[in-house]
Amino acid sequence: MTDPFQPADPRATDRRFMAAAIALARQGVGRTRPNPSVGAVLVQHTPSGPVVVGAGRTADGGRPHAERQALAQAGAAARGATCYCTLEPCSHFGRTSPCADALIEAGVAAVVVACVDPNPAVAGEGLVRLRNAGISVRQGVRTEEAATTLSGHMSRMVRGRPHVALKLALSADGAIGRRGEGGIAITGPAWGRQTHLLRAAHDAIAVGIGTVLADDPSLTCRLPGMAARSPDRIILDTDARTPTNARLFADRKVPVLIFVALDADPARCEALQAAGAVLLAVPRAGAGLDLAAALGMLSERGIGSVLVEGGAGIAEALAAADLIDEAWLVRAPHLLGGDLVRPFGGDPVAALSENLVIDARDVAGSDFLTHMKRTCSQASSQT
Ligand SMILES: NC(=O)c1ccc[n+]([C@@H]2O[C@H](COP(=O)([O-])OP(=O)(O)OC[C@H]3O[C@@H](n4cnc5c(N)ncnc54)[C@H](OP(=O)(O)O)[C@@H]3O)[C@@H](O)[C@H]2O)c1
C-alpha cells in the first residue's frame, strides 16, 4: 500500500503531525500507568491537503491504547490514512489484540513512528508486522521530543527502574532548611504551583523519613480541580519510624507506600499498615535502604516515574548511586541563615554535573530554576 496523495514535503508533514501526536501524549503523562502515555493522529492526505480523521492518547489507566482511540474516531476514514504514533504500535496480545493488527485491519496506508518500543514483547516487532502487511513505515521523527513523554516507560523497560527526577528548593545560601526547624517555605507561590503540576505528571513522589519527621507533608496535588491527579506517596523509612498520625494518612484515597528494612520492627510495621500504608521490605544498604532494590520494586508495580522531594539524605544517596535522571533545582533570591541543611555542600548543580547536563534555565516568580537531565548517550549507557 502507498499513500494515495503524497504531501509535497513529506518530512515537514511528518514532523508537523508528530508534533500533534506528542502534544496529545503530554496530556496523559502521569495518568496512564502502568502503560506509557502515547499519542496517535490519523491523517488523510487529500489533493486539497491533509485532513485529521482521528486522534487519541492512551486512556487513563493505560487502556484503550492511543491507536485504538484514533481508529475508533476515524471509522471507515482510516482506510488509506497515515497514522502518526509517538511509540511503535504494540505487537503482543495483552488485554486486547495488538494495535499493529488493528492498524492493518483498518487499512491504513502508512505509519510514522517517533520511538521504537524497547519493551522486549514489542522491540521492533510492531514495525515488522506493519511492513509485512505492505504498510509504509517511517521512523525516527521527533524522537527526542517524544522520548520526554515516554521516559518512565523507557526507563522501566531498559533499566528495570523508574525515571527519577529530583526537586530541591534552595535558598541563596544553598540551604533546603534549618536543622531542627522543618517546613520552612523557601521558594515563592509561582514555583509552588509548578511543583503541584510536576507532581501530577509523575507516577509517584518520594521522600525520606527525615522529611516526614521534619515537615509532616501531605505530598498531594492541590491545584484547583486536580486533586484526583495526586500520585502515590513513597517514604524511605528504614526502621518504620513514620508516625501513624502523620498528615500523609489524612487522605486515604492516595496510596502511601513505605519502604522499610527486612528486619524492621514487626509491631511498627503492623501499626503503619493499620494506618493505611502499604509496607515494602528491602535490604539495608549504605546510610539506610538499598535504593536500587526499592526502585526495582516500584518498576515491577508499574511505577515509571518518581519525583523525589526528599531532603539532603535521600538526594545525596541517589546522586552517589547515579540514580538521578533529571533535576529541578530552584533557588530563591534570599539567604536563610542559621544552622543550615545544605545538600551537596550548597551547590547541587556542580555536584550533579558529573552525570547530568544543564538543559534549561528559567524564572518562576522571583525564583531561579535550573533544569538538568541526562544526555541521550548517558541515558543509554545506564543499566
Ligand atoms: N527545600 C527542600 O526542597 C526540602 C525538601 C524536603 C526536605 N527538606 C528539608 O530537609 C531536611 C530533612 O533532611 P533529611 O536528609 O533528614 O531528609 P530525607 O532525605 O527526606 O530523609 C533522610 C532519611 O531517609 C532515610 N533513608 C532511607 N534509605 C536511605 C538511604 N539509602 N540513604 C539515605 N537516607 C536514607 C534515612 O533515615 P532512616 O535510616 O531512619 O530510614 C535518612 O535519615 C528538613 O529540614 C526538611 O525541612 C527540604
Side-chain angles (χ1 to χ4, degrees), residues 166-171 175-187 191 206-217 219 235-241 259-261 282-292 308-318 328 330 336 339-341 343:
L166 172 70
K167 193 219 83 175
L168 284 177
L170 301 138
S171 61
I176 61 168
R178 278 192 212 100
R179 225 164 288 283
E181 269 187 46
I184 302 174
I186 295 177
T187 44
W191 177 249
V207 299
I209 180 64
T211 297
V212 174
L213 296 177
D215 300 357
D216 193 14
L219 301 175
I235 318 301
L236 294 146
D237 179 10
T238 315
D239 294 304
R241 292 190 288 145
F259 280 99
V260 295
V282 287
R284 289 177 188 264
L289 297 168
D290 183 335
L291 297 175
V308 177
E309 295 197 51
I314 293 298
E316 289 179 348
L318 285 167
W328 301 87
V330 186
L336 206 56
D339 185 6
L340 300 178
V341 181

Side-chain angles (χ1 to χ4, degrees), residues 35 39 50 99 111 122-123 125-126 145 236 249 257 269 296 321 358 360 382:
N35 291 341
C99 288
V111 174
V122 186
E125 187 53 35
E145 263 169 80
L236 294 146
F249 298 118
L257 279 60
C269 294
I358 294 175
Q382 279 294 297

Side-chain angles (χ1 to χ4, degrees), residues 160-162 291-301:
R161 69 161 175 84
L291 297 175
L295 289 173
M297 282 172 80
L298 294 178
S299 181
E300 281 165 20
R301 295 175 78 89

Side-chain angles (χ1 to χ4, degrees), residues 90-365:
C90 65
S91 57
H92 58 300
F93 284 84
R95 281 177 275 170
T96 52
S97 58
C99 288
D101 291 5
L103 290 164
I104 294 166
E105 279 158 29
V108 302
V111 174
V112 183
V113 165
C115 299
V116 175
D117 191 347
N119 181 347
V122 186
E125 187 53 35
L127 302 183
V128 169
R129 263 180 200 246
L130 295 168
R131 285 198 175 102
N132 287 348
I135 291 174
S136 155
V137 175
R138 300 189 287 279
Q139 61 193 87
V141 177
R142 291 193 186 267
T143 302
E144 219 174 305
E145 263 169 80
T148 62
T149 64
L150 297 164
S151 56
H153 176 72
M154 297 297 189
S155 185
R156 282 182 67 223
M157 293 302 138
V158 175
R159 306 183 290 199
R161 69 161 175 84
H163 176 93
V164 175
L166 172 70
K167 193 219 83 175
L168 284 177
L170 301 138
S171 61
D173 39 356
I176 61 168
R178 278 192 212 100
R179 225 164 288 283
E181 269 187 46
I184 302 174
I186 295 177
T187 44
W191 177 249
R193 288 189 291 273
Q194 289 270 79
T195 296
H196 286 262
L197 272 182
L198 269 183
R199 287 180 179 175
H202 285 78
D203 293 340
I205 306 172
V207 299
I209 180 64
T211 297
V212 174
L213 296 177
D215 300 357
D216 193 14
S218 301
L219 301 175
T220 48
C221 177
R222 295 189 295 282
L223 288 176
M226 290 183 72
R229 299 285 304 273
S230 292
D232 290 9
R233 281 89 50 89
I234 294 163
I235 318 301
L236 294 146
D237 179 10
T238 315
D239 294 304
R241 292 190 288 145
T242 302
T244 51
N245 62 351
R247 230 177 255 159
L248 288 165
F249 298 118
D251 187 346
R252 288 257 181 163
K253 288 198 290 293
V254 189
V256 178
L257 279 60
I258 304 185
F259 280 99
V260 295
L262 292 167
D263 60 353
D265 177 26
R268 292 280 326 138
C269 294
E270 266 173 43
L272 288 172
Q273 276 167 328
V278 174
L279 274 267
L280 300 166
V282 287
R284 289 177 188 264
L289 297 168
D290 183 335
L291 297 175
L295 289 173
M297 282 172 80
L298 294 178
S299 181
E300 281 165 20
R301 295 175 78 89
I303 290 178
S305 60
V306 178
L307 180 66
V308 177
E309 295 197 51
I314 293 298
E316 289 179 348
L318 285 167
D322 191 13
L323 290 169
I324 298 175
D325 303 304
E326 186 180 3
W328 301 87
L329 307 169
V330 186
R331 199 174 277 262
H334 55 266
L335 301 166
L336 206 56
D339 185 6
L340 300 178
V341 181
R342 293 174 85 239
F344 305 105
D347 193 353
V349 174
L352 294 173
S353 292
E354 200 178 317
N355 297 309
L356 308 183
V357 292
I358 294 175
D359 168 53
R361 291 186 197 273
D362 208 343
V363 288

Side-chain angles (χ1 to χ4, degrees), residues 57-71:
R57 67 153 171 95
T58 313
D60 291 4
R63 297 272 165 177
H65 285 184
E67 301 89 325
R68 297 266 174 196
Q69 311 218 70
L71 286 171

